[in-house]
Amino acid sequence: MLGTPIKIRGLEKRFAANRVLCGVDLDIPAGKVTVLMGANGAGKSTLVKIICGLYSADAGEVLLNDQPFSPNSPSAALQAGIVTVHQNINDGVVPDLDVASNLMLDWLANPKSAPLLNPTKIRKAAEEIAAKLDLNFDMNSMVSDLALADRQLVAIARAMAHSPNLMILDEPTSSLSATEAERLFRLVDKLRASGVAILYISHRMSDIRHVADRIVSMRDGTIVGKYETSPLDYEGAVNDMLGHTMTDVDIMVRTPDDVVLELQELQLKPDSKPINLTAHRNEVIAITGLVGVGKTQLTEVLFGQFTPAAGNLHLKGKTYLPKSARDAINHGVFLCAKDRGTNGVVQDFDINRNITLPFLSSLSTLGFVNRSAEYRITNEAIKKLGIVCQSANDDIGTLSGGNQQKVMVSRWLSHPCDVLILDEPFQGVDIAARRDIGAKVRETAKDRATIVLMAELDEALEIADRILVMAEFTIVGDHKNENVDLDLILEQVSGATTPQNLQKQKEGAAQ
Amino acid sequence: MSETRVNKRSMSIKDYAIRYGFVALLIGLVVYFGIAAEGFSSPHSAVFIFQSVAITGILALGVTATLVVGGFDLSIGAVATSALMLSAYMMVVLEQNAFVAVAACLLMGAIVGLINGFLIVQMRVPDLLATLGMMFLLIGAQRIPTEGRSIATGMSLPDGSTAQGGFSPEFLALGRHRFDFFIENLIPVSVVILIVIAISIWFFLEYTRYGRVMYAIGSNERAASLAGVPVKKYRIIAYMISGVLASVGGILLAARLGRGDIASGNNLLLDSVAAALIGFAVLGAAKPNAFGTAVGALFVGILLQGLTMMNAPYYTQDFVKGGVLVIALMFTFALSNRR
């Protein structure tokens, strides 16, 4: 079934005084992957929410197979064959049910289904759904025991059982490792071959290069660029989305000062190889590597959340063994944690309260918070990082993702420290905000050691003086960020996936 | 991830309704009763209302502290009645003075809060279940020393002797003394204590870093912990505040009754939880807050007093309270969360 199942004409949407969509025209053809690019706040999410029934449009229409279509709920959209896989993977699955029940969830929720459950039948039907996509799951395992990537595959498989007209993938790889993303791409290829129209939203250029058949750029609520002819003009699409040309970042590698942090023979796991690492003042170190190679554990050791199996840490020449986050902060070691939604942002708080939360004791006398001092800090942070907001009292939830991330980073930049650790600071952040954050981190790095952890090598090249590669819970590569041998780094990144290990991973995923 | 931005300056009618709806309702209620119920708008009637809400208000402020850290305390009613029985036992049976009785009750409240906190934070028992268990435990425990009887001077004890002690005058003054305020003998001690506690808790939650941190825990415990907050300590402290305030309520009740009445205080839990939850709706806060809790307690008090003065039968009171609570919760959650 080829053709153009979805046509969007003159779609408009406003929230209070704020025009989010100003006349969007977009066709999404079947059997092709249409990538939608746009900076944070361009209106991508709003557009998706209208198509999948969460919002209603103020003007314009969506045509589904040339019929006007305005779903008033997500389930109405689902009935019509519009399937959305959300960025937040756990929104798509029920963790406390087994795989079979998750795959059959729509049947279970359908009031017309039989009231009594026949486990054998359900299992069989679920296996058929999985088999369509060549997925091999143990139907009895709990979804909560699955890795994130497998949960997402479960969600997609379940969605595919509806034989959809349109599948929307919203930042599907944002929590996945490279190998896991690879599996997802294979699935996308399969869906494309079966004639589904796919709308793919992502900030990651590597993803986009991998899957895109056509690219549509969005800025300030309108479509500003369409690229359909191969080879696709990726740079043109990025420039359209930003409204100006993005130059490459040129890193001036700086000379490191004295040693601040030293890791000696540190073992994250009893059987892992020891890590030796020295971090200097005036140095930005990027640690890159796949998801699940120990980057998180390393930050946890440095921030007092996890005791290493063996080894020593020295901070400014003294033994350093933090017992809690508070302890680490008191020693001058700050961590801007990954997954800001769960680990960083306090949703009920405004910008000001989010920024000053870790530093309240120094901002208060006898327990009373000195409000003028805290607003001074916050207003300075807002100005420095260019956080787009009305005032320091805006609720953090009203900010776009990129701006929320800026708030989180500026929180930890607001006070001087000896070691600043940033774990995945560019998660779900568009390229413009990413450059702002990267520049500010480098600009302020003079008096501290900075360690940035990320899965994407491109991001590491943009920010670091030195790039370390992690695999199998240890450091396998150390590169100065000048004329870097990219092939060597990539080899080291994937070094863990020798044929033998790959086999092990697959077994692990199937369990 | 919401990409919509709310413009705070242009408030719609709905925003006004969320923010001031409950306050408007409160004022409307006062005006209505002032006109319809004879004698409602007098200083004495106002003081009576305050007195009737003092004890539930104090308990509700304690629950508010646990709600702020994302918890809940179902044991407050039982703590209050335990404090009532304990103070009576201390004075009547053990013949101690008022000071010792009050200190013992406050200590008991703090220990119960500590145990609640320990169960919830260290043993990972869900808050509702832990405090429900504590509630049953306390209801049972307060009956054991007297074999289920109420405590009063001259009562016979399990060993056959008679209780010789009695409520000391200082203790009774806590429940019965009235301060002069323009009019002689106007303001009862309990009302003064309520006002002092309400202002302290409000100040604590809004203007100290401890309060700020407690709100952070309630909103995102993990983020607070990674920002260096000792989350466990704060959660235990919240339950201890709740326990101590509940025992203050129990002491005031004992001082008013002048005997260790086993059957009193049945409504304390539900009334104070209702006040704290109604507080969510005040000024569109949509979160637990001391000012809202105080207004919530006052609202319930005014409503009941007004209805009583208009000769509404007593058995309709719980129904009215329930209705108010449900409407207040609707205000809070349905309207304000849809931003």
Side-chain angles (χ1 to χ4, degrees):
Chain A
M1 184 196 71
L2 287 175
T4 308
I6 294 282
K7 291 177 187 149
I8 296 165
R9 295 289 176 261
L11 210 60
E12 288 181 28
K13 178 75 185 173
R14 62 168 69 225
F15 293 102
N18 195 6
R19 284 182 85 187
V20 181
L21 296 181
C22 345
V24 171
D25 293 306
L26 178 64
D27 289 350
I28 308 174
K32 283 194 173 152
V33 177
T34 304
V35 167
L36 182 61
M37 288 178 76
N40 296 116
K44 304 183 303 285
S45 297
T46 310
L47 178 63
V48 167
K49 282 175 182 163
I50 291 174
I51 302 175
C52 70
L54 282 163
Y55 293 160
S56 60
D58 295 335
E61 58 180 357
V62 179
L63 298 171
L64 174 65
N65 294 327
D66 295 322
Q67 299 294 314
F69 169 68
S70 54
N72 49 19
S73 73
S75 62
L78 193 65
Q79 294 297 322
I82 311 277
V83 166
T84 313
V85 176
H86 290 284
Q87 185 176 10
N88 191 347
I89 291 173
N90 286 328
D91 286 355
V93 289
V94 183
D96 291 338
L97 290 180
D98 60 8
V99 172
S101 307
N102 264 281
L103 290 173
M104 295 298 289
L105 202 58
D106 299 299
W107 181 86
L108 291 171
N110 188 343
K112 285 177 200 141
S113 306
L116 287 181
L117 299 178
N118 180 341
T120 344
K121 250 190 183 166
I122 287 184
R123 234 191 108 137
K124 228 171 154 193
E127 270 164 1
E128 275 166 28
I129 292 173
K132 266 193 216 156
L133 295 172
D134 293 335
L135 296 174
N136 192 9
F137 290 119
D138 175 5
M139 290 295 158
N140 291 328
S141 56
M142 285 298 177
V143 165
S144 54
D145 295 337
L146 296 183
L148 273 182
D150 290 312
R151 293 186 199 191
Q152 188 158 36
L153 294 179
V154 168
I156 294 176
R158 179 187 133 210
M160 282 307 294
H162 292 270
S163 41
N165 289 305
L166 170 69
M167 171 160 285
I168 302 170
L169 296 161
D170 188 0
E171 299 251 6
T173 57
S174 59
S175 324
L176 303 187
S177 70
T179 33
E180 289 174 328
E182 229 15 83
R183 294 179 65 190
L184 179 76
F185 295 147
R186 281 203 294 278
L187 192 61
V188 170
D189 289 340
K190 199 163 284 163
L191 297 180
R192 169 172 32 204
S194 69
V196 180
I198 298 168
L199 185 66
Y200 192 102
I201 298 170
S202 182
H203 288 307
R204 280 193 183 175
M205 283 316 292
S206 53
D207 284 17
I208 295 170
R209 288 205 169 87
H210 212 295
V211 299
D213 294 313
R214 49 200 293 272
I215 300 180
V216 177
S217 292
M218 217 177 155
R219 188 175 74 239
D220 298 333
T222 45
I223 303 289
V224 288
K226 285 182 191 169
Y227 298 87
E228 323 215 17
T229 46
S230 177
L232 293 168
D233 180 4
Y234 299 105
E235 263 173 46
V238 172
N239 291 344
D240 280 345
M241 141 189 155
L242 295 173
H244 57 87
T245 318
M246 206 67 185
T247 48
D248 280 346
V249 181
D250 278 325
I251 296 286
M252 291 286 295
V253 174
R254 290 181 282 198
T255 35
D257 267 345
D258 54 321
V259 174
V260 180
L261 179 73
E262 212 176 349
L263 278 54
Q264 291 170 337
E265 300 292 310
L266 182 86
Q267 279 176 275
L268 294 174
K269 291 202 297 189
D271 55 349
S272 68
K273 290 204 186 105
I275 295 174
N276 286 296
L277 166 68
T278 356
H280 306 81
R281 257 181 239 288
N282 196 23
E283 180 184 42
V284 179
I285 300 174
I287 300 182
T288 185
L290 304 174
V291 174
V293 295
K295 297 199 299 291
T296 308
Q297 284 82 350
L298 182 62
T299 62
E300 284 175 348
V301 167
L302 294 173
F303 205 57
Q305 307 289 301
F306 178 73
T307 320
N312 294 309
L313 289 91
H314 293 281
L315 184 71
K316 293 190 284 182
K318 286 189 202 130
T319 308
Y320 170 65
L321 201 68
K323 285 181 286 294
S324 65
R326 181 79 262 162
D327 203 10
I329 292 170
N330 289 342
H331 278 93
V333 177
F334 292 176
L335 167 69
C336 181
K338 65 173 178 182
D339 296 327
R340 64 173 173 273
T342 37
N343 296 330
V345 170
V346 178
Q347 277 300 339
D348 287 352
F349 277 11
D350 56 14
I351 298 173
N352 174 51
R353 289 174 178 218
N354 265 293
I355 286 183
T356 56
L357 181 61
F359 310 110
L360 284 177
S361 47
S362 66
L363 283 171
S364 46
T365 17
L366 296 171
F368 290 99
V369 180
N370 180 344
R371 295 214 166 172
S372 59
E374 70 169 325
Y375 277 104
R376 204 161 48 236
I377 288 172
T378 303
N379 287 327
E380 202 179 297
I382 289 174
K383 213 167 69 203
K384 263 195 193 162
L385 262 172
I387 296 166
V388 184
C389 61
Q390 313 263 335
S391 80
N393 289 326
D394 283 11
D395 279 344
I396 189 120
T398 63
L399 303 182
S400 70
N403 273 312
Q404 289 189 19
Q405 186 67 27
K406 283 185 179 178
V407 171
M408 285 300 111
V409 173
S410 58
R411 169 199 280 178
W412 297 106
L413 291 179
S414 72
H415 282 66
C417 62
D418 291 312
V419 181
L420 175 66
I421 308 158
L422 298 133
D423 196 359
E424 293 288 355
F426 305 129
Q427 219 172 24
V429 164
D430 69 63
I431 186 164
R434 183 169 112 198
R435 294 283 169 87
D436 285 351
I437 292 172
K440 196 50 73 181
V441 167
R442 282 194 68 79
E443 196 184 303
T444 55
K446 195 176 170 312
D447 295 319
R448 58 159 195 259
T450 311
I451 301 173
V452 192
L453 300 101
M454 67 262 283
E456 288 279 289
L457 183 56
D458 293 359
E459 297 171 358
L461 292 167
E462 272 180 26
I463 195 170
D465 296 311
R466 189 148 70 101
I467 299 174
L468 303 180
V469 182
M470 263 188 102
E472 293 271 298
F473 291 83
T474 189
I475 288 173
V476 294
D478 186 341
H479 309 261
K480 202 171 176 189
N481 193 6
E482 274 175 342
N483 307 320
V484 194
D485 183 350
L486 287 179
D487 292 333
L488 178 61
I489 293 187
L490 287 173
E491 200 176 292
Q492 288 168 341
V493 164
S494 56
T497 50
T498 53
Q500 201 183 354
N501 288 323
L502 200 66
Q503 192 57 39
K504 220 187 280 171
Q505 273 190 359
K506 270 187 187 159
E507 282 166 15
Q511 269 164 17
Chain B
M1 190 176 70
S2 157
E3 300 198 350
T4 62
R5 309 212 49 250
V6 179
N7 189 341
K8 282 205 171 161
R9 274 171 205 130
S10 66
M11 276 177 47
S12 66
I13 295 169
K14 201 182 86 183
D15 293 332
Y16 275 107
I18 292 169
R19 189 164 269 253
Y20 301 112
F22 219 82
V23 178
L25 204 60
L26 184 68
I27 294 170
L29 207 62
V30 172
V31 171
Y32 173 74
F33 284 136
I35 296 166
E38 209 176 316
F40 179 85
S41 52
S42 74
H44 285 286
S45 156
V47 166
F48 186 81
I49 289 169
F50 269 110
Q51 190 175 14
S52 71
V53 301
I55 292 170
T56 49
I58 290 169
L59 263 66
L61 287 163
V63 184
T64 305
T66 61
L67 288 170
V68 167
V69 294
F72 204 76
D73 192 348
L74 281 178
S75 68
I76 45 163
V79 173
T81 51
S82 297
L84 165 82
M85 296 302 283
L86 179 62
S87 60
Y89 195 81
M90 291 300 281
M91 287 182 289
V92 174
V93 180
L94 301 179
E95 299 178 32
Q96 299 292 326
N97 61 31
F99 179 78
V100 174
V102 169
C105 290
L106 295 180
L107 187 68
M108 186 271 303
I111 291 172
V112 170
L114 186 67
I115 297 172
N116 276 335
F118 174 80
L119 288 174
I120 293 161
V121 171
Q122 292 294 346
M123 299 286 115
R124 297 167 186 276
V125 181
D127 44 22
L128 284 176
L129 304 184
T131 54
L132 186 72
M134 183 54 71
M135 179 181 108
F136 280 115
L137 201 67
L138 289 175
I139 289 176
Q142 60 185 263
R143 292 169 184 226
I144 292 173
T146 60
E147 296 183 332
R149 275 167 298 190
S150 295
I151 302 173
T153 308
M155 71 178 284
S156 57
L157 296 171
D159 61 6
S161 64
T162 338
Q164 294 300 321
F167 278 71
S168 73
E170 300 87 32
F171 188 86
L172 291 175
L174 287 174
R176 295 171 182 178
H177 181 74
R178 285 163 179 262
F179 295 106
D180 300 341
F181 188 74
F182 295 111
I183 302 169
E184 263 180 58
N185 287 338
L186 184 66
I187 314 248
V189 179
S190 58
V191 172
V192 176
I193 294 179
L194 168 70
I195 292 170
V196 168
I197 290 178
I199 291 174
S200 321
I201 293 279
W202 173 73
F203 225 75
F204 176 79
L205 289 176
E206 288 298 316
Y207 289 97
T208 70
R209 68 185 170 96
Y210 315 108
R212 175 90 61 91
V213 160
M214 283 168 68
Y215 276 117
I217 294 170
S219 175
N220 188 342
E221 194 180 318
R222 172 114 187 104
S225 154
L226 285 176
V229 172
V231 170
K232 290 182 174 178
K233 200 170 90 187
Y234 274 99
R235 291 183 68 194
I236 291 176
I237 288 172
Y239 285 97
M240 289 179 70
I241 292 174
S242 177
V244 169
L245 290 190
S247 65
V248 170
I251 292 167
L252 294 177
L253 189 60
R256 196 159 81 195
L257 295 173
R259 62 193 297 259
D261 191 348
I262 204 94
S264 56
N266 286 339
N267 259 339
L268 282 177
L269 171 66
L270 293 180
D271 285 3
S272 43
V273 167
L277 292 179
I278 288 172
F280 280 42
V282 176
L283 295 184
K287 62 179 187 185
N289 66 99
F291 179 73
T293 301
V295 173
L298 199 60
F299 186 90
V300 174
I302 288 173
L303 193 66
L304 296 184
Q305 170 72 353
L307 288 174
T308 311
M309 291 180 85
M310 289 180 72
N311 296 326
Y314 73 94
Y315 49 78
T316 54
Q317 292 195 355
D318 278 350
F319 177 78
V320 172
K321 266 188 281 187
V324 170
L325 178 60
V326 169
I327 290 168
L329 292 176
M330 221 161 67
F331 253 102
T332 310
F333 293 101
L335 293 178
S336 58
N337 280 352
R338 215 174 288 156
R339 280 190 265 217

